[in-house]
């Protein structure tokens, strides 16, 4: 009995000893691995040969289940990945600059990034976001800066249109981009210039057909419902990114729920003369107290856009720049992610909606970039329910004044575009693991 | 805000004016009907309100004016318009019905009433009203035009089309409303129906072919539009084979779809039917040549020659034929990694056309020279023949005699004469007649300033000859002036040779002399002889700085001789034994090319391109290497 008990005690001791040895061994192994394992650092500062494709590599790595750490404010918002040979090859093939570093060097970087006295942080990207672009069926990738950027960076995306939105298929996606859509149902207010152009006529007929198919008498009514559906998608945890006229027209559509702002050439009947007074700004995501532009022949929707589209001649491309705000990486990781860049001052570019008038932006919004000393805000971000949205003014960051029919921008010539980087920040941002904020 | 203030100010001013008018005429107010002048002022005032968007104020005045004179069309229409602006559809409908009571046969007004019902979302009433309008004059085409127009304004395009069709049937005229219907079909994306209507219009008005092409062209830019238009026009031509405009339309739509073979068949038929004597085929052939449809362009040019012996542009036709043959045989090597000639086998001939490459083109150019000896085209034909002999066949004697003939016979065509002389210099150089080559180059370069690219090229060749002759000092002198011209195409080559001579002059001049000798033999395409020289350099001067260049040349020569495994061995030796060479990236690129295009070994080619990317990330070849990897991997980019 005693012998049995002693034997059992001896077994337990041996077991504990073995276990301790295993744990110690594992710890030592992990430490050695951490110190000597290869890591790949994709710098995003001026050393990077192709910033835009670098985002594509980060996305590609996520699709291969390689974890990516986004080092906010470290060398322009660099990426740290496990040093897999496949990854290095892919970086080389795609022309993305990378550095092979040891585990010890990586540990040093993490330590620097995590230090309390630096405005840096590491955010783990976990899963390649599933991306949708809201585009009409006759869409061409070169119509739109976001799709151009995704095509160039080789980030896959699905196309969705009104049918999918109405069938609540947006919920399948982590991120949606609104192609430069006019949610007011005024077809971009191109009537005065392109009213007789075949593409314009066809677009209007196609939109009207779709509206009727989906049970709406007017396109504006359908678009308003679509805008609401997208709002629901955001509130339920989605990420929405809009550029150019998709920003202000989206909010205008939401605000004009109880009125008709479209003139006869757009929806077959005159607008409500009291439309302005009937706007419900509480429905809007980002703007309030704006005044509609009711002249159907004027290429402008409201006074949100500054300067107005027909007065852009007052801008001088040589002096048109906007500045990114700096946020606390540790306390405000979201705006920090959205503003990662290797340049703080970015060359401006026009769009149907170029900048947002500061006084008309809701106080709940975060301003990410603006033209210093003016009312012109370029880049804003906000939250709605469990989701977020970002509005970015202008049409094409590398084509100052892009016109209908202009050739597409060749991003091979703009691999380091800071303006395009802001778009791609938004695409990776939904991949970030949510972590407890240090507030 | 400013708009609102302005509106109020204007309104106040206008009201004041009206008040003044009213006060100033106290006795006219109630007892008597208002005077014409007063009505005019109030009407203008109402119109002003309307223009400024103050529809409520305008409405008040229009209502008063209408009350006073309901027969005034201007007022009635303005009132209807204002009701519409204010979305007071019931009032607008009541007004229209009142107007219609006075003129019950006004189709236009009834049609407008229908549109108003539609705006009110009363579709059934709208349809009934439009029917009512049609019933007034069902045999009159204008009835259908007015009603369909009102329906179109309501953006009910399908219904408008149906009304037009009813009109056709009711008026027993199937040609009515063709353009309107076609347009409505096209904007509703019903391309087959639209095309049918446009064809009907062409049938009625053959002179409108251009207009119809432009209308159909609005949707042939899209695949489905093009397919629909092609199918319908084909059917049209099949059922009316003698309809010439239909044939033109078919040929045009085939060209739009780049179906040049089919277009050619149609143009041939048109040419016959119109007795155009080959002109229709000629125009087609030129366009096909321009569009790089060489097979069909050569067929078309050939047919003209065969069918129309007295064709007035026979020289151009025969030259076009020769150009088509040459271009279809041509294969370019854009990187020029192995010099001006491509070492890899050209595309294989098909069983249907087993002729050796370029023989057809040379024969065709010969015919131009023989049959049109006094023309510039003959000179150009000789020039092209010379180039083919020189670059494709390496038939230096043949090329020499061709260029000599060109320069002897055609000094009157300055540009082609200069180009021919330059080429003749190249050929003399290749056959080892350096003095003659020098003379030809000198003739082109002249003795003054170099003012055009041909002169600069000639001057570069003169420097090269000095290099081949081991006269390095004079060669450097000549290259110095050329290398200074930043905008010249010859600058890069000049700089490259200048640096090469300068660097190696500091070493053993004997090696450089040998190297120059090898280079000349290589230029002369004496491949085995050149190979022997470079191999002897490698063997005899193992410590020379020129070893790596000699090995590259050996590898290149072996590649040209299709001794790919030997070439690979040479390149690999260079990579292994000369890690300090500045040509390693170029060597890797060549190696990868031999794997890819010589041995067609994609995995090894990819691995070699990847090695290039890995070891020489800043090489000028990385972009091409990336492209090649992605193509070989089959990436969808």
């Amino acid at each position: 009995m005693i012998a049995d008990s002693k034997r059992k005690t001896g077994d337990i001791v041996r077991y504990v000893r073995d276990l301790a040895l295993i744990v110690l061994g594992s710890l030592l192994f992990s430490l050695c691995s951490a110190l000597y394992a290869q890591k790949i650092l994709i710098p995003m500062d001026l050393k990077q040969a192709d910033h835009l494709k670098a985002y594509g590599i980060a996305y590609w790595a996520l699709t291969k289940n390689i974890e990516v750490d986004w080092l906010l404010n470290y060398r322009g918002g660099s990426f740290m990945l496990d040093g897999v040979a496949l990854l290095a090859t892919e970086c080389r093939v795609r022309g993305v600059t990378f550095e092979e570093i040891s585990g010890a060097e990586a540990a040093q970087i993490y330590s620097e990034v995590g230090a309390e006295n630096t405005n840096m942080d590491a955010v783990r990207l976990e899963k390649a976001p599933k991306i949708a672009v809201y585009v009409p069926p006759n869409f061409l990738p070169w119509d739109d800066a976001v799709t151009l950027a995704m095509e160039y960076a080789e980030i896959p995306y699905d196309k969705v249109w009104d049918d999918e939105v109405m069938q609540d298929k947006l919920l399948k996606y982590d991120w949606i981009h609104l192609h430069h859509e006019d949610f007011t149902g005024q077809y971009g207010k191109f009537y005065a210039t392109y009213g007789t152009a075949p593409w314009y006529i066809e677009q209007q007929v196609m939109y009207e057909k779709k509206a009727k198919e989906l049970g709406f008498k007017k396109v504006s009514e359908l678009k308003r419902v679509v805008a609401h559906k997208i709002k629901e998608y955001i509130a339920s945890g989605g990420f929405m990114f809009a550029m150019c006229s998709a920003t202000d027209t989206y909010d205008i559509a939401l605000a004009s729920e109880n009125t008709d702002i479209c003139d006869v050439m757009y929806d077959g009947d005159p607008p409500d003369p009291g439309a302005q007074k009937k706007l419900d700004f509480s429905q809007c995501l980002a703007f309030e107290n704006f005044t509609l532009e009711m002249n159907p022949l004027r290429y402008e929707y409201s006074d949100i856009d500054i300067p107005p589209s027909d007065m852009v001649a007052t801008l001088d491309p040589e002096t048109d720049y906007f500045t990114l705000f700096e946020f606390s990486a540790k306390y405000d990781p979201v705006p920090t992610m959205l503003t990662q860049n290797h340049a703080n001052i970015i060359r401006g570019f026009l769009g149907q909606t170029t900048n947002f008038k500061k006084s008309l932006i809701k106080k709940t919004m975060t301003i990410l970039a603006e033209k210093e000393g003016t009312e012109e805000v370029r880049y804003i971000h906000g939250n709605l329910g469990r989701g977020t949205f970002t509005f970015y003014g202008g049409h094409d960051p590398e084509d100052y004044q892009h016109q209908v029919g202009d050739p597409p921008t060749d991003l091979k010539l703009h691999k380091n575009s800071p303006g395009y980087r802001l778009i791609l920040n938004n695409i990776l941002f939904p991949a970030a693991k949510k972590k407890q904020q240090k507030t | 805000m400013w708009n609102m203030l302005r509106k109020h100010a204007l309104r106040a001013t206008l009201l004041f004016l009206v008040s003044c008018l009213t006060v100033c005429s106290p006795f006219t107010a109630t007892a008597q009907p208002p005077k014409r002048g007063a009505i005019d002022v109030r009407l203008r005032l109402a119109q002003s309100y309307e223009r400024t968007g103050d529809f409520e104020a305008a409405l008040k005045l229009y209502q008063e004016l209408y009350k006073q004179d309901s027969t005034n069309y201007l007022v009635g229409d303005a009132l209807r318009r204002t009701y519409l602006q204010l979305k007071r559809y019931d009032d607008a409908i009541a007004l229209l019905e009142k107007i219609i009571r006075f003129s019950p046969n006004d189709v236009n007004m009834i049609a407008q009433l229908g549109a108003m019902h539609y705006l009110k979302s009363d579709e059934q009433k709208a349809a009934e009203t439009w029917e009512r309008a049609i019933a007034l004059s069902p045999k009159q085409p204008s009835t259908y035009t007015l009603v369909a127009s009102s329906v179109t304004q309501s953006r009910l395009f399908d219904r408008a089309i149906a009304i037009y069709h009813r009109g056709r049937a009711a008026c027993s005229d199937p040609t009515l409303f063709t353009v309107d219907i076609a347009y409505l079909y096209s904007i509703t994306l019903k391309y087959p129906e639209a095309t049918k209507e446009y064809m009907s219009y062409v049938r009625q008005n053959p002179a409108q072919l251009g207009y119809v092409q432009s209308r159909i062209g609005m949707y042939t830019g899209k695949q489905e539009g093009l397919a629909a238009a092609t199918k319908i026009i084909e059917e049209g031509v099949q059922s009316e084979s003698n309809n010439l405009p239909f044939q033109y339309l078919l040929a045009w739509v085939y060209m739009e779809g780049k179906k040049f073979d089919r277009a050619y068949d149609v143009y041939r038929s048109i040419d016959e039917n119109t007795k155009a004597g080959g002109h229709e085929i000629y125009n087609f052939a030129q366009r096909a040549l321009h569009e790089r449809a060489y097979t069909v362009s050569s067929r078309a040019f050939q047919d003209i020659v065969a069918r129309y012996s007295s064709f007035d542009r026979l020289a151009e036709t025969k030259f076009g034929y020769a150009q088509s043959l040459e271009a279809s045989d041509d294969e370019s090597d854009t990187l020029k990694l192995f010099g001006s000639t491509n070492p890899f086998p050209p595309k294989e001939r098909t069983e249907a056309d087993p002729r050796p490459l370029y023989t057809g083109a040379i024969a065709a150019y010969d015919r131009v020279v023989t049959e049109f000896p006094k023309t510039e085209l003959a000179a150009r034909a000789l020039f092209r023949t010379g180039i083919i002999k020189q670059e494709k066949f390496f038939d230096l004697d043949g090329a020499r005699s061709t260029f000599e003939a060109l320069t002897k016979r055609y000094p009157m065509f300055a540009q082609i004469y200069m180009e021919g002389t330059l080429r003749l210099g190249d050929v003399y150089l290749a056959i080892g007649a350096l003095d003659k080559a020098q003379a030809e180059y000198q003739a082109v370069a002249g003795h003054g300033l170099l003012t055009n690219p041909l002169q600069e090229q000639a001057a570069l060749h003169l420097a090269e000859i000095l290099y081949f002759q081991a006269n390095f000092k004079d060669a450097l002198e000549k290259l110095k002036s050329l290398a200074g011209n930043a905008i010249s195409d010859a600058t890069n080559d000049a700089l490259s040779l200048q640096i090469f001579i300068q660097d190696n002059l500091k070493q053993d001049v004997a090696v450089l002399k040998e190297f120059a000798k090898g280079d000349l033999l290589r230029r002369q395409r004496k491949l085995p002889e050149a190979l022997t020289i470079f191999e002897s350099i490698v063997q005899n001067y193992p410590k020379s700085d020129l070893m790596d260049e000699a090995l590259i040349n050996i590898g290149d020569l072996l590649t040209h001789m299709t001794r790919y495994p030997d070439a690979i061995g040479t390149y690999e030796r260079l990579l292994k034994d000369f890690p300090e060479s500045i040509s390693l990236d170029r060597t890797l690129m060549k190696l990868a090319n031999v794997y890819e295009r010589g041995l067609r070994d994609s995995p090894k080619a990819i691995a070699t391109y990847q090695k290039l990317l890995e070891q020489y990330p800043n090489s000028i070849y990385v972009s091409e290497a990336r492209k090649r990897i992605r193509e070989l991997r089959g990436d969808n980019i």
Side-chain angles (χ1 to χ4, degrees):
Chain A
M1 194 72 163
I2 293 167
D4 269 1
S5 166
K6 274 187 179 170
R7 201 181 64 234
K8 274 182 188 167
T9 311
D11 284 349
I12 291 166
V13 168
R14 264 197 305 277
Y15 174 75
V16 170
R17 190 192 61 202
D18 290 350
L19 192 69
L21 279 172
I22 290 168
V23 170
L24 191 66
S26 304
L27 279 171
L28 275 171
F29 178 75
S30 305
L31 189 66
C32 291
S33 303
L35 286 174
Y36 297 106
Q38 287 284 307
K39 282 270 187 184
I40 282 183
L41 176 76
I42 299 179
M44 293 295 275
D45 53 11
L46 295 174
K47 290 265 170 66
Q48 180 53 256
D50 194 333
H51 287 98
L52 308 188
K53 285 230 190 256
Y55 287 91
I57 285 284
Y59 190 95
W60 178 86
L62 291 171
T63 63
K64 304 281 177 216
N65 296 319
I66 302 170
E67 283 183 344
V68 180
D69 282 334
W70 197 354
L71 308 181
L72 304 183
N73 290 347
Y74 180 78
R75 296 184 61 185
S78 307
F79 299 106
M80 180 85 85
L81 306 95
D82 283 337
V84 221
L86 193 66
L87 182 66
T89 303
E90 201 57 33
C91 283
R92 285 190 195 103
V93 170
R94 296 195 191 190
V96 172
T97 307
F98 66 97
E99 294 168 14
E100 282 173 305
I101 57 173
S102 68
E105 286 168 315
Q108 203 174 351
I109 291 170
Y110 280 119
S111 158
E112 184 188 343
V113 166
E116 280 301 324
N117 58 351
T118 61
N119 185 17
M120 298 182 204
D121 204 0
V123 172
R124 172 65 49 92
L125 303 181
E126 289 189 312
K127 176 184 151 248
K130 205 160 169 358
I131 294 167
V133 182
Y134 173 77
V135 287
N138 58 346
F139 141 88
L140 297 168
W142 48 87
D143 283 347
D144 172 62
V146 179
T147 40
L148 266 182
M150 289 197 288
E151 297 273 343
Y152 180 74
E154 299 172 59
I155 295 175
Y157 62 92
D158 288 344
K159 290 181 252 178
V160 295
W161 188 230
D162 294 332
D163 292 296
E164 288 81 1
V165 176
M166 296 303 286
Q167 291 161 17
D168 291 325
K169 288 188 178 165
L170 281 189
L171 299 172
K172 287 193 330 198
Y173 298 94
D174 301 302
W175 191 87
I176 183 173
H177 161 59
L178 309 181
H179 180 262
H180 53 99
E181 187 65 31
D182 173 3
F183 285 92
T184 67
Q186 296 176 94
Y187 310 101
K189 290 196 86 174
F190 282 125
Y191 184 78
T193 321
Y194 296 105
T196 55
W199 65 265
Y200 179 93
I201 295 166
E202 190 180 293
Q203 182 198 32
Q204 186 167 0
V205 172
M206 194 181 77
Y207 277 42
E208 285 170 349
K209 201 173 158 197
K210 180 53 66 189
K212 286 208 172 82
E213 253 176 56
L214 294 170
F216 296 89
K217 194 181 167 194
K218 294 179 178 183
V219 171
S220 54
E221 290 167 6
L222 166 64
K223 292 291 165 192
R224 196 176 300 133
V225 174
V226 166
H228 273 287
K229 287 269 183 192
I230 293 171
K231 197 174 159 188
E232 285 166 20
Y233 158 79
I234 303 167
S236 64
F239 296 80
M240 186 260 267
F241 177 73
M243 273 187 84
C244 198
S245 57
T247 57
D248 49 353
T249 64
Y250 182 83
D251 261 15
I252 292 170
L254 290 174
S256 58
E257 186 162 356
N258 303 315
T259 186
D260 173 9
I261 66 167
C262 301
D263 215 316
V264 65
M265 64 284 276
Y266 300 125
D267 67 353
D269 65 6
D272 180 348
Q276 178 64 43
K277 285 180 193 156
K278 293 179 187 166
L279 293 180
D280 179 359
F281 299 117
S282 71
Q283 293 293 325
C284 298
L285 293 186
F287 306 111
E288 60 188 359
N289 304 325
F290 49 82
T291 305
L292 297 172
E293 174 51 66
M294 295 300 285
N295 179 352
L297 304 179
R298 189 167 177 227
Y299 180 57
E300 189 57 274
Y301 299 99
S302 73
D303 59 350
I304 293 172
D305 183 24
I306 173 174
S309 302
D310 45 8
M311 289 177 70
V312 288
T314 56
L315 288 173
D316 175 7
E318 298 302 314
T319 57
D320 187 13
Y321 284 85
F322 60 92
T323 311
L324 285 174
F325 282 139
E326 192 178 342
F327 295 90
S328 163
K330 293 186 178 72
Y331 296 93
D332 279 323
V334 171
T336 309
M337 273 185 258
L338 296 177
T339 49
Q340 288 304 286
N341 221 312
H342 53 287
N344 267 1
I345 296 172
I346 298 173
R347 203 156 58 91
F349 52 97
L350 307 179
Q352 189 174 5
T353 302
T354 302
N355 293 296
F356 316 119
K357 193 183 277 179
K358 197 186 260 178
S359 55
L360 303 178
I361 297 172
K362 287 188 174 182
K363 302 294 170 275
T364 51
M365 295 294 294
T366 305
I367 293 176
L368 303 173
E370 66 174 21
K371 196 169 181 180
E372 276 181 341
T374 70
E375 269 262 83
E376 297 168 25
V377 173
R378 172 65 63 149
Y379 186 34
I380 54 178
H381 175 72
N383 300 309
L384 179 75
R386 290 163 52 211
T388 72
F389 58 92
T390 309
F391 287 170
Y392 186 18
H395 184 89
D396 183 334
E398 293 301 337
D399 184 1
Y400 188 73
Q401 193 162 10
H402 188 87
Q403 304 279 355
V404 172
D406 277 358
T409 299
D410 183 359
L411 286 184
K412 280 203 246 19
L413 306 174
H414 305 282
K415 297 171 179 177
N416 311 104
S417 165
Y420 267 99
R421 272 198 71 180
L422 296 181
I423 295 173
L424 291 166
N425 284 337
N426 278 272
I427 292 171
L428 276 195
F429 154 64
K433 184 183 180 182
K434 287 186 179 68
K435 66 178 184 182
Q436 197 81 34
Q437 282 212 1
K438 296 186 177 181
T439 48
Chain B
M1 194 63 170
W2 164 243
N3 277 343
M4 283 179 69
L5 280 173
R6 203 177 55 179
K7 207 182 278 181
H8 283 299
L10 182 69
R11 192 173 172 176
T13 315
L14 292 171
L15 278 173
F16 173 74
L17 281 170
V18 174
S19 310
C20 289
L21 281 169
T22 315
V23 170
C24 291
S25 7
F27 306 108
T28 58
T30 51
Q32 295 171 17
K35 285 185 179 170
R36 187 78 256 160
I39 288 177
D40 284 349
V41 170
R42 285 153 70 87
L43 181 63
R44 279 200 292 276
L45 179 60
Q47 286 167 337
S48 301
Y49 281 140
E50 194 184 343
R51 274 196 295 275
T52 58
D54 190 349
F55 299 112
E56 293 288 353
L59 178 69
K60 207 172 162 191
L61 281 172
Y62 284 139
Q63 279 174 328
E64 284 172 15
L65 287 166
Y66 187 73
K67 212 171 174 180
Q68 286 161 11
D69 182 6
S70 60
T71 60
N72 187 327
Y73 174 79
L74 207 61
V75 173
D77 193 51
L79 188 55
R80 178 195 61 81
R81 212 167 49 229
T82 314
Y83 279 139
L84 189 62
Q85 285 293 342
L86 291 166
K87 296 182 181 284
R88 288 170 59 169
Y89 300 128
D90 285 331
D91 290 326
I93 286 168
L95 173 70
L96 282 172
E97 277 173 345
K98 195 172 171 187
I99 293 170
I100 289 164
R101 273 201 292 277
F102 285 108
S103 46
N105 295 325
D106 189 336
V107 175
N108 184 32
M109 208 51 86
I110 298 171
Q112 281 190 38
L113 179 63
M116 203 61 79
H117 281 301
Y118 183 75
L119 276 177
K120 202 195 149 193
S121 297
D122 190 345
E123 283 195 46
Q124 196 187 334
K125 195 88 178 161
E128 285 168 13
T129 310
W130 282 320
E131 284 302 320
R132 193 174 127 203
I134 291 171
L136 282 173
S137 297
K139 296 282 178 196
Q140 279 298 320
S142 60
T143 302
Y144 297 93
T145 305
L146 287 168
V147 175
S149 163
S150 172
V151 173
T152 303
Q153 275 171 31
S154 302
R155 305 194 69 78
L156 297 168
F157 303 118
D158 291 336
R159 183 172 290 179
I161 291 170
I163 289 171
Y164 279 128
H165 278 300
R166 268 178 68 190
R168 271 184 181 172
C171 303
S172 306
D173 184 351
T175 65
L176 279 173
F177 318 122
T178 311
V179 172
D180 301 289
I181 295 175
Y183 175 71
L184 287 172
Y185 274 136
S186 73
I187 64 167
T188 49
L189 317 185
K190 290 171 182 154
Y191 302 126
E193 290 84 350
T195 311
K196 275 182 196 162
E197 290 297 329
Y198 282 128
M199 288 188 76
S200 160
Y201 189 64
V202 170
R203 191 186 293 116
Q204 296 160 42
N205 309 280
Q208 293 298 316
L209 179 69
Y211 167 76
V212 164
Q213 276 180 2
S214 73
R215 304 303 294 187
I216 295 178
M218 285 180 175
Y219 51 82
T220 50
K222 283 181 296 184
Q223 212 175 355
E224 64 273 25
L226 181 67
T230 307
K231 183 171 175 283
I232 297 300
I233 297 169
E234 276 174 345
E235 287 169 5
V237 170
Q238 212 164 21
S239 60
E240 295 175 48
S241 54
N242 292 328
N243 189 320
L244 195 61
F246 279 15
Q247 288 185 20
Y248 274 113
L249 211 50
L250 184 60
W252 167 78
V253 82
Y254 280 150
M255 295 290 266
E256 290 286 289
K258 311 268 181 215
K259 291 175 180 166
F260 295 104
D261 281 348
R262 292 194 195 178
Y264 177 50
D265 291 340
V266 183
Y267 273 116
R268 215 165 38 182
S269 156
I270 291 172
D271 200 80
E272 264 174 27
N273 295 341
T274 57
K275 303 199 186 325
H279 283 96
E280 291 285 355
I281 301 178
Y282 178 77
N283 291 338
F284 162 78
Q286 286 292 0
R287 190 175 157 191
L289 177 62
H290 182 71
E291 301 263 3
R292 297 168 184 237
Y294 302 125
T295 311
V296 70
S297 69
S298 64
R299 231 176 85 206
F301 283 126
Q302 201 175 21
D303 282 356
I304 297 171
V305 175
R307 288 179 188 199
Y308 306 102
S309 52
S310 55
F311 187 60
D312 58 354
R313 307 187 77 173
L314 214 51
E316 287 92 336
T317 304
K318 292 193 173 185
F319 190 76
Y321 173 61
Q323 276 183 303
S324 302
L325 292 181
E326 184 190 351
S328 73
D329 283 351
D330 207 3
E331 189 176 271
S332 61
D333 173 19
T334 51
L335 255 190
K336 300 214 181 296
L337 203 62
F338 297 88
S340 59
T341 51
N342 179 6
F344 301 109
K347 62 182 179 186
E348 284 155 19
R349 302 301 292 183
T350 58
E351 275 182 27
D353 186 9
R355 283 175 302 123
L357 287 170
Y358 300 105
T359 51
I362 288 196
Y365 282 129
D366 278 351
R367 281 195 289 277
V368 176
V369 177
T370 318
E371 294 171 27
F372 310 96
K374 305 275 182 214
T375 63
E376 189 176 344
L377 283 175
R380 295 206 165 276
L382 269 180
F383 183 69
R384 295 305 317 162
T385 304
I387 287 177
I388 293 171
K389 286 179 179 171
Q390 180 194 357
E391 288 188 354
K392 312 293 177 187
F393 295 165
F394 314 112
D395 168 12
L396 297 176
D397 284 337
R400 180 183 48 81
S401 61
T402 307
F403 288 126
E404 278 175 352
L406 165 62
T407 51
K408 196 173 155 194
R409 286 187 226 160
Y410 300 102
M412 64 287 238
F413 304 121
Q415 176 68 22
I416 198 75
Y417 171 77
M418 294 275 269
E419 288 178 35
T421 308
L422 194 63
R423 284 281 177 173
L424 185 57
D426 293 347
V427 176
Y428 282 142
L429 179 67
I431 58 178
L434 298 196
D435 289 350
K436 284 187 173 180
Q438 212 160 15
E440 297 300 330
Y441 291 143
Q442 197 62 63
V444 176
H447 294 281
L449 281 175
L450 307 175
T451 55
N452 66 50
L454 284 177
Q455 286 181 309
E456 287 159 0
Q457 207 60 44
L460 175 66
H461 290 325
L462 284 169
E464 282 177 334
I465 288 179
L466 292 168
Y467 158 70
F468 294 139
Q469 290 169 331
N471 185 353
F472 302 126
K473 195 178 157 214
D474 288 349
L476 281 175
E477 197 56 41
K478 266 211 175 306
L479 290 168
K480 200 175 153 192
S481 61
L482 265 175
N485 182 1
I487 54 165
S488 164
D489 285 345
T491 307
N492 270 348
D493 290 339
L495 265 174
S496 164
L497 183 58
Q498 188 187 17
I499 293 165
F500 177 77
I501 297 172
Q502 274 170 350
D503 284 357
N504 292 297
L505 257 183
K506 294 171 200 159
Q507 311 290 324
D508 191 346
V509 180
V511 192
L512 187 58
K513 278 184 181 172
E514 277 298 290
F515 202 95
K517 208 154 89 183
D519 256 355
L520 178 61
L521 288 167
R522 189 181 168 185
R523 181 72 66 88
Q524 292 168 338
R525 287 200 58 81
K526 292 177 179 166
L527 305 184
E529 292 89 332
L531 186 63
T532 308
I533 295 273
F534 287 118
E535 279 174 344
S536 79
I537 291 173
V538 170
Q539 207 164 19
N540 301 330
Y541 304 95
K543 303 247 185 258
S544 164
D545 281 357
L546 279 168
M547 271 293 282
D548 57 345
E549 281 299 326
L551 281 171
I552 288 184
N553 281 356
I554 292 170
D556 290 359
L557 288 164
L558 290 168
T559 305
H560 277 286
M561 294 157 86
T562 65
R563 288 169 55 185
Y564 302 129
D566 294 338
I568 288 170
T570 310
Y571 291 137
E572 275 173 350
R573 180 182 165 193
L574 168 60
L575 293 168
K576 187 167 157 260
D577 295 348
F578 297 90
E580 303 296 319
S581 167
I582 56 162
S583 306
L584 297 185
D585 59 336
R586 190 156 49 105
T587 307
L588 269 174
M589 195 67 187
K590 284 171 190 264
L591 186 58
N593 259 264
V594 174
Y595 277 128
E596 184 191 347
R597 299 165 70 190
L599 296 176
R600 303 194 187 274
D601 184 342
S602 298
K604 280 199 174 156
I606 290 176
T608 314
Y609 286 126
Q610 279 177 348
K611 203 168 167 187
L612 170 72
L613 296 181
E614 194 179 328
Q615 295 179 353
Y616 306 99
N618 299 318
S619 161
I620 56 164
Y621 299 108
V622 292
S623 167
E624 181 64 17
R626 281 188 193 121
K627 197 174 140 204
R628 301 301 316 138
I629 292 172
R630 306 205 79 169
E631 274 182 31
L632 289 168
R633 274 194 336 196
D635 284 7
N636 184 22
I637 48 166

